[in-house]
Amino acid sequence: MEMDQLVALCRRRGFLFQSSEIYGGLQGFWDYGPMGVELKRNVREAWWRDMVTSQDNLDVSPGAPAAFEMTGLDCAIIMHPQVWKCSGHYDLFNDHLIDCRESKRRYRYDQVLGRWVEAKGKRIFVASDTSGEEALEQTQLKALKFFNLRAKKANELKWEGPLVPLTTVTDFDDVLGPDAKELGTLTEPREFNLMFETNTGAVRDENSRTFLRPETAQGIFVNFKNVLDSTRVKVPFGIAQIGKSFRNEITPRNFTFRSREFEQMEIEFFCRPDTSADWYEYWRDRRYRWYVELGLSSDRLRLREHDAEELSHYSCGTADIEYAFPFLSDGEFGELEGVAHRGDFDLRSHMEGKLIRQGDELVVEQDELGQPKYRGSGRDLTYFDDQTKERYTPHVIEPSAGADRATLAFLCEAYTEDEVPDEKGKPTKRVFLRLHPRLAPIKAAVFPLVKKDGMPEIAREIYKKLKPHFNVFYDEKGAVGRRYRRQDEVGTPLCITVDGQTLDDGTVTIRDRDTLKQWRVGKEDCTAEVQKWLSQ
Ligand code: ATP
């Protein structure tokens, strides 16, 4: 499947639109249309149900080191600015960017690749902001143009080795930027913080500066004590949150894959330090299985353990769950979710500091400039185990997923083309979304075969019976074949048709989207049939 085909389908059938499209769009922002909103809701709901509400805390789940409880939170997007100083986002959440003086384009330093080439006695580095085959083609064309050579003289270009990152080049004077015609137009890399800033309150100054959260996780850490004090949870337990996050990405691209506003589905799982390695393995494997069970085929999905040198100093394991998105080159994978062993780093950072009394308030001790002397809150975020009488700072396992990336992967995987006979028996191309029934925006469509003989009345009755339980759709317009195709394109797993036989024996035809198999059930049994399909 070509990515363009999926993008076109998403637009045509109301899954995704560019944000503010009538004003020319805003890069890095997307709107989910009538079908998209249902699909993404189903992704979120599947995650929440599977990870949180259906977690049985009485018995040990398969593969888990012990029984555990899951609970949820929904935190504010704007938090106290000190949270981001403490988490490191304020000082360290930076990308390096480079500008092109000629094209005025901006690039992420670590994403620019290129190749060294020599021709006509000159050696230059030809850069590209794409990757794989596309980058090879782009650099070839740019080099031919730069050296003023025709395509048939391409053998005069002496390429040195494969594509390498621009970060390996020390002097930019010999670099031909991705969109430049002249050499040496790229600026030196500079740091750029990815957090969106805003101000809270009427006065806009340094003191009112706040940030849109770049991740949902910090809301969980700062509420750790509140959850412990307001519920009866005991370690080990997890807190889950789904919500919007914002990152001012330098180069948003690849449809919704890298957006500036996106939704995360994060869990912070708190456990005893001596059990954390086992819990890490449990969550890594369970999260991988979740994608497989919802239909991501195992050969495009992979679990990649980070090497020891990629790990943070406090971590004893991190794995990325990755998907081979069709917009990536062969062999390349994009991150869907990171599962990280974070040790006690986050709780410890938020704890750091000393509280002193200032008037009626307890505040973190300040330095001579009036700034907090420590990054943390000074509050006690340790846990007391009342059975073993031990006090400790729990370790944390963090499975952090993106709802938009998961939705995009499910869409990519679902896009299928096959050939089916049309009404006259001629083979015709069919496009359909092979979405898992739990994810499908519409669970079933109800049609009268023709708009007469009492068929619409019966079909409407069936529709009304189904509607309180499932998102179903009624359609009586046009040829039935066309109505089937429209449902196939949005991934509706079942179509229920009232036809001539219904008038005789009260049965209806049910058609399966994937196999096109048809069978009959009593019109009273439609609810049970759809339910059966959904719980498979
Ligand atoms: P990347 O390396 O692709 O920028 P990341 O490692 O910074 O991602 P995390 O900080 O681990 O991502 O965030 C957890 C999850 O949030 C990611 O696995 C991804 O699914 C999602 N996510 C992060 N950034 C974006 C974005 N710009 N657009 C859409 N989803 C995102």
Side-chain angles (χ1 to χ4, degrees):
M1 187 257 298
E2 296 295 324
M3 200 56 203
D4 294 350
Q5 294 171 294
L6 180 69
V7 173
L9 182 135
C10 283
R11 203 184 173 289
R12 189 170 73 244
R13 300 309 316 274
F15 281 93
L16 275 156
F17 308 123
Q18 208 186 354
S19 158
S20 327
E21 198 185 73
I22 61 168
Y23 287 98
L26 186 62
Q27 230 199 336
F29 297 92
W30 297 92
D31 296 337
Y32 285 81
M35 287 299 124
V37 67
E38 293 296 333
L39 172 62
K40 190 168 147 190
R41 261 171 54 101
N42 292 340
V43 170
R44 280 197 305 252
E45 276 171 17
W47 185 89
W48 192 265
R49 169 163 268 280
D50 295 346
M51 298 301 124
V52 186
T53 50
S54 67
Q55 181 57 46
D56 163 3
N57 65 328
L58 301 180
D59 287 323
V60 180
S61 315
F68 66 91
E69 195 168 342
M70 291 294 293
T71 179
L73 274 179
D74 183 11
C75 304
I77 285 173
I78 295 179
M79 301 175 72
H80 193 292
Q82 198 62 26
V83 169
W84 308 113
K85 292 196 175 147
C86 179
S87 68
H89 287 86
Y90 183 81
D91 297 312
L92 303 171
F93 195 49
N94 299 326
D95 272 344
H96 285 85
L97 61 84
I98 43 177
D99 286 301
C100 176
R101 284 183 284 261
E102 186 190 316
S103 67
K104 307 286 178 245
R105 294 273 310 266
R106 180 163 280 182
Y107 310 97
R108 232 173 89 172
Y109 184 37
D110 61 344
Q111 281 179 351
V112 179
L113 297 171
R115 300 195 275 169
W116 286 100
V117 66
E118 199 181 323
K120 300 186 172 175
K122 188 155 181 59
R123 181 175 176 265
I124 65 166
F125 184 84
V126 190
S128 163
D129 65 340
T130 57
S131 60
E133 280 300 313
E134 208 179 331
L136 289 175
E137 257 169 54
Q138 197 190 13
T139 47
Q140 169 92 357
L141 287 175
K142 281 174 63 72
L144 287 171
K145 225 176 193 165
F146 180 81
F147 288 110
N148 209 1
L149 291 169
R150 286 170 190 278
K152 58 182 179 206
K153 295 269 172 117
N155 59 354
E156 287 187 24
L157 296 173
K158 301 284 174 264
W159 292 103
E160 281 173 31
L163 288 164
V164 290
L166 179 67
T167 49
T168 59
V169 179
T170 43
D171 185 353
F172 282 8
D173 285 350
D174 296 322
V175 173
L176 184 60
D179 298 283
K181 294 192 185 71
E182 288 166 33
L183 290 181
T185 61
L186 296 183
T187 61
E188 286 299 312
R190 61 193 167 87
E191 280 192 324
F192 173 81
N193 192 291
L194 297 183
M195 283 198 294
F196 278 102
E197 283 182 30
T198 187
N199 291 82
T200 37
V203 185
R204 285 183 170 264
D205 63 12
E206 187 54 31
N207 294 330
S208 68
R209 192 150 71 115
T210 46
F211 304 92
L212 304 192
R213 67 179 174 202
E215 61 170 38
T216 59
Q218 297 305 320
I220 300 181
F221 292 124
V222 302
N223 277 297
F224 173 69
K225 254 294 176 322
N226 286 339
V227 173
L228 277 182
D229 294 345
S230 60
T231 65
R232 305 187 64 167
V233 287
K234 291 201 176 335
V235 168
F237 73 98
I239 306 179
Q241 172 162 222
I242 299 181
K244 290 260 176 147
S245 292
F246 301 81
R247 296 182 189 178
N248 197 2
E249 299 277 1
I250 300 168
T251 47
R253 59 164 111 188
N254 292 334
F255 210 13
T256 57
F257 181 82
R258 189 171 299 289
S259 313
R260 289 179 165 141
E261 173 176 342
F262 55 95
E263 213 156 345
Q264 290 186 308
M265 308 187 289
E266 296 196 294
I267 295 171
E268 305 302 329
F269 187 81
F270 302 94
C271 59
R272 266 178 75 107
D274 58 349
T275 61
S276 61
D278 294 340
W279 283 110
Y280 163 68
E281 283 179 20
Y282 169 71
W283 279 107
R284 179 197 63 194
D285 298 346
R286 176 160 173 198
R287 290 301 307 145
Y288 177 81
R289 269 200 323 274
W290 186 77
Y291 293 98
V292 175
E293 280 161 13
L294 283 173
L296 290 197
S297 83
S298 305
D299 61 330
R300 295 185 78 86
L301 186 72
R302 77 171 184 194
L303 191 66
R304 187 180 68 85
E305 283 276 357
H306 286 205
D307 302 333
E309 56 273 21
E310 273 184 273
L311 293 180
S312 322
H313 61 279
Y314 50 76
S315 177
C316 62
T318 292
D320 286 344
I321 301 172
E322 301 178 326
Y323 183 72
F325 285 96
F327 48 76
L328 301 172
S329 313
D330 278 353
E332 270 190 313
F333 285 74
E335 178 183 323
L336 283 181
E337 168 161 354
V339 183
H341 178 291
R342 297 188 58 86
D344 61 5
F345 176 79
D346 305 274
L347 287 178
R348 208 167 264 289
S349 308
H350 282 299
M351 241 190 314
E352 203 181 70
K354 201 165 119 204
L355 288 180
I356 53 165
R357 189 162 289 284
Q358 207 172 67
D360 286 343
E361 274 184 279
L362 273 179
V363 294
V364 180
E365 197 179 348
Q366 297 182 338
D367 63 15
E368 37 314 328
L369 297 171
Q371 293 298 319
K373 212 164 164 183
Y374 309 92
R375 291 176 308 165
S377 65
R379 307 280 163 159
D380 176 14
L381 302 180
T382 56
Y383 175 78
F384 182 69
D385 185 327
D386 50 17
Q387 272 181 344
T388 62
K389 309 288 177 224
E390 282 172 289
R391 182 168 287 285
Y392 59 88
T393 310
H395 274 199
V396 169
I397 312 301
E398 178 187 77
S400 168
D404 307 85
R405 284 195 191 169
T407 303
L408 184 59
F410 288 126
L411 274 170
C412 292
E413 186 77 17
Y415 187 98
T416 316
E417 287 180 4
D418 65 359
E419 266 195 358
V420 294
D422 67 7
E423 284 93 45
K424 294 185 189 110
K426 200 174 118 222
T428 45
K429 193 179 105 178
R430 175 177 79 128
V431 172
F432 68 107
L433 292 183
R434 199 192 277 270
L435 287 168
H436 190 286
R438 285 181 75 191
L439 301 183
I442 299 172
K443 306 303 180 196
V446 187
F447 308 147
L449 181 64
V450 287
K451 231 165 101 181
K452 55 182 186 189
D453 302 335
M455 291 185 205
E457 287 73 14
I458 303 174
R460 278 163 199 252
E461 207 181 294
I462 296 173
Y463 165 81
K464 280 183 190 292
K465 282 219 177 100
L466 289 168
K467 196 70 181 165
H469 307 286
F470 318 103
N471 189 22
V472 289
F473 184 78
Y474 176 80
D475 190 3
E476 57 180 28
K477 289 186 241 25
V480 75
R482 293 255 291 281
R483 282 181 264 160
Y484 282 144
R485 294 300 155 75
R486 285 183 70 81
Q487 294 305 317
D488 288 345
E489 265 201 330
V490 297
T492 307
L494 295 176
C495 289
I496 301 169
T497 306
V498 172
D499 49 24
Q501 197 178 326
T502 315
L503 308 176
D504 297 337
D505 65 6
T507 62
V508 293
T509 303
I510 306 228
R511 168 191 180 268
D512 167 30
R513 170 197 71 197
D514 301 344
T515 60
L516 300 179
K517 247 178 54 194
Q518 301 198 356
W519 64 99
R520 301 196 74 86
V521 300
K523 64 179 180 188
E524 307 300 332
D525 301 329
C526 291
T527 308
E529 193 70 11
V530 178
Q531 188 58 57
K532 191 174 98 193
W533 219 249
L534 282 177
S535 49
Q536 62 186 320

